[in-house]
Amino acid sequence: MPKQKTVQRLLVFLPAHRQLARHTLSTGTVVDYVVIHGGAPAEAGDSPLALLPKASVVDVVFDTADVFVAGIDAPRLSDAKLRQALPNLLEDRLLTNPADCHFAFERPASGSAEADAAQLAVSVIDRGVLTRALDALTAAGLRPQRAFGEVYTVPAPRTGVLSVRVARGRGIARSGRHDGFAFDLEGDEPPAALLLAVRRLGIRRVQAYGLEADRLLALAPALGAEVEVAGREVDLEAVERSVNLLQGTFAAGGLLWRAGLPKLSARAVRAPLGWAAAALLVFIAGMNAYWLKLESESRALRGGMETAFRSAFPEATAVVDPVLQTKRQLGALRARAGIPSAGDFSVLNAQAAQLFAGAPIGVIGGVEYRDGSLRIKLKPGQTLDAGLQNTLRAQAIQQGLALRFDADGAARLAPAGQ
């Protein structure tokens, strides 16, 4: 079997998502295609995805019904922030959940009419539709570099001129720089949407592209406009100015599983693996050196605390926890001197009485003291609202206390830091 010749550029026209059986695109799905050679359309036809001509450059054209295109006034933001802001900016104009959509945009060229009007070209497509399309194309051996809506296959309207594309009984019209609509050709009457656009825009001439452009000739009298057959499938200049949907995570090469992993040889990975191993050894050595430094500082700090404790309390025979033992010794010294400690019952009880003076009368049912803390119980059926609890916590902090409320509504009061 002779080897298939690779063409220069291939445009693949995918059918509308709703027209597919069970909404599934596969390598056996028949699609329209246009071969571009020497900068001009050279061949057009239809073929299953798997049997399409191989091409150096592949463009995917989505049906107008699957892609929302618009020109919007967008704030001056970086690309990353603008991509995050677009779902909110277009939420009211989309018929689906913005979280399920993929957003692509094209900033206007400096000095262009779009730049002067501060218009940002935006295209939106369902993320699942785009993912399934790219999966099917990858399975067919095609790796697209661009993807865009069909509205960008014909020129933008000029004064009195409207461009349309017709193929297989279905057509699209580009009614604005970033706007368009689809229509079906049935019978001898012009589509209502096309007729309305011709009258509203004051169109005198319709420029027709596509395989069935000749069908519009018979509709010229009813349209009230001259029909000119362009003799080409698409307008390449319009294609080049389209908004490429393959941005962000869908950018060419952005997903390794989609673009395919390159073949790596042992020689190619030897140097990176060597550098990685060296970096890992340096990291391990550095972490061990840092741990030894911290261990030395910890021993020195503990030794200093033990020395300070023995200097203050020489009668102590063993030092296990210098901080805890110091607190106990200080508590014992206060008790012998008749100075109450912050955790004594009398002290906590007096502070609790002062603290809960603002609570509702009769709400407190009992007090329990244990391990230097006071547990204040509420009477059955009584509760303290959240606002009062926050107020009591703030007042406790000012008095050097820590106040915590349990799930049953009881309060625990203890010196701060205990």
Side-chain angles (χ1 to χ4, degrees):
M1 182 178 179
K3 185 177 179 180
Q4 188 178 21
K5 183 179 179 180
T6 301
V7 300
Q8 184 180 17
R9 187 174 183 180
L10 180 69
L11 269 63
V12 181
F13 291 80
L14 300 184
H17 171 63
R18 59 182 173 79
Q19 293 179 342
L20 294 171
R22 297 182 181 179
H23 305 302
T24 300
L25 186 71
S26 66
T27 55
T29 302
V30 177
V31 298
D32 292 343
Y33 70 88
V34 175
V35 173
I36 308 298
H37 184 72
E43 178 188 345
D46 58 71
S47 168
L49 273 178
L51 300 180
L52 284 171
K54 303 304 178 184
S56 303
V57 178
V58 178
D59 291 359
V60 181
V61 185
F62 284 92
D63 189 87
T64 304
D66 290 336
V67 182
F68 171 81
V69 296
I72 64 172
D73 296 325
R76 296 183 180 274
L77 299 172
S78 64
D79 286 358
K81 292 183 178 179
L82 182 58
R83 201 175 300 279
Q84 295 176 352
L86 282 176
N88 294 326
L89 293 175
L90 295 171
E91 183 177 8
D92 296 339
R93 302 173 65 176
L94 299 175
L95 299 178
T96 185
N97 187 353
D100 298 331
C101 297
H102 169 66
F103 294 80
F105 60 89
E106 193 74 31
R107 294 187 183 274
S110 178
S112 65
E114 295 96 326
D116 296 338
Q119 287 281 304
L120 180 77
V122 180
S123 288
V124 186
I125 188 172
D126 183 271
R127 196 181 302 273
V129 171
L130 180 56
T131 300
R132 288 189 290 270
L134 295 180
D135 287 344
L137 289 163
T138 302
L142 302 172
R143 295 179 182 175
Q145 286 76 35
R146 292 180 63 86
F148 48 88
E150 191 178 359
V151 71
Y152 289 113
T153 58
V154 296
R158 304 184 300 275
T159 303
V161 181
L162 178 69
S163 296
V164 301
R165 182 178 184 275
V166 183
R168 305 192 185 283
R170 182 172 172 81
I172 60 101
R174 188 171 179 180
S175 56
R177 190 176 297 275
H178 303 292
D179 196 9
F181 59 90
F183 58 86
D184 294 323
L185 281 180
E186 297 177 352
D188 299 330
E189 296 295 327
L194 181 60
L195 184 59
L196 180 62
V198 169
R199 292 178 179 177
R200 276 192 173 183
L201 299 176
I203 300 300
R204 297 186 300 273
R205 181 161 57 92
V206 175
Q207 193 172 26
Y209 294 79
L211 287 171
E212 299 181 348
D214 293 341
R215 292 185 61 178
L216 290 180
L217 290 174
L219 303 180
L223 286 173
E226 176 189 355
V227 175
E228 175 188 339
V229 177
R232 303 191 303 276
E233 287 297 310
V234 296
D235 183 84
L236 290 182
E237 186 176 351
V239 168
E240 295 300 333
R241 295 182 178 179
S242 61
V243 178
N244 187 10
L245 289 166
L246 301 186
Q247 300 179 14
T249 56
F250 290 96
L255 297 179
L256 293 179
W257 65 271
R258 197 181 305 288
L261 291 172
K263 294 182 179 180
L264 301 177
S265 62
R267 179 176 297 180
V269 300
R270 188 179 302 163
L273 289 178
W275 283 108
L280 181 61
L281 291 175
V282 171
F283 173 76
I284 294 174
M287 289 298 295
N288 279 278
Y290 186 63
W291 180 83
L292 292 174
K293 177 177 178 294
L294 293 179
E295 181 69 15
S296 176
E297 292 178 352
S298 175
R299 286 196 299 267
L301 183 60
R302 181 177 178 82
M305 289 191 296
E306 291 183 2
T307 301
F309 177 76
R310 291 186 182 278
S311 298
F313 307 101
E315 70 278 4
T317 57
V319 181
V320 178
D321 188 338
V323 176
L324 180 60
Q325 289 176 272
T326 300
K327 289 182 179 180
R328 290 176 177 173
Q329 292 287 354
L330 289 175
L333 289 175
R334 289 193 187 95
R336 287 198 296 268
I339 301 174
S341 176
D344 288 348
F345 170 77
S346 59
V347 176
L348 285 177
N349 191 46
Q351 290 176 316
Q354 181 182 358
L355 186 63
F356 281 84
I361 299 175
V363 71
I364 297 177
V367 176
E368 179 182 320
Y369 177 77
R370 180 180 296 176
D371 297 331
S373 66
L374 204 65
R375 188 169 188 266
I376 303 164
K377 302 178 181 179
L378 303 181
K379 289 183 178 180
Q382 298 291 333
T383 59
L384 299 178
D385 60 74
L388 181 57
Q389 290 184 9
N390 291 333
T391 302
L392 294 175
R393 287 194 191 96
Q395 293 175 353
I397 292 173
Q398 293 176 357
Q399 297 181 24
L401 301 171
L403 180 62
R404 177 171 60 87
F405 288 91
D406 296 336
D408 59 357
R412 292 184 181 271
L413 188 66
Q418 180 171 321

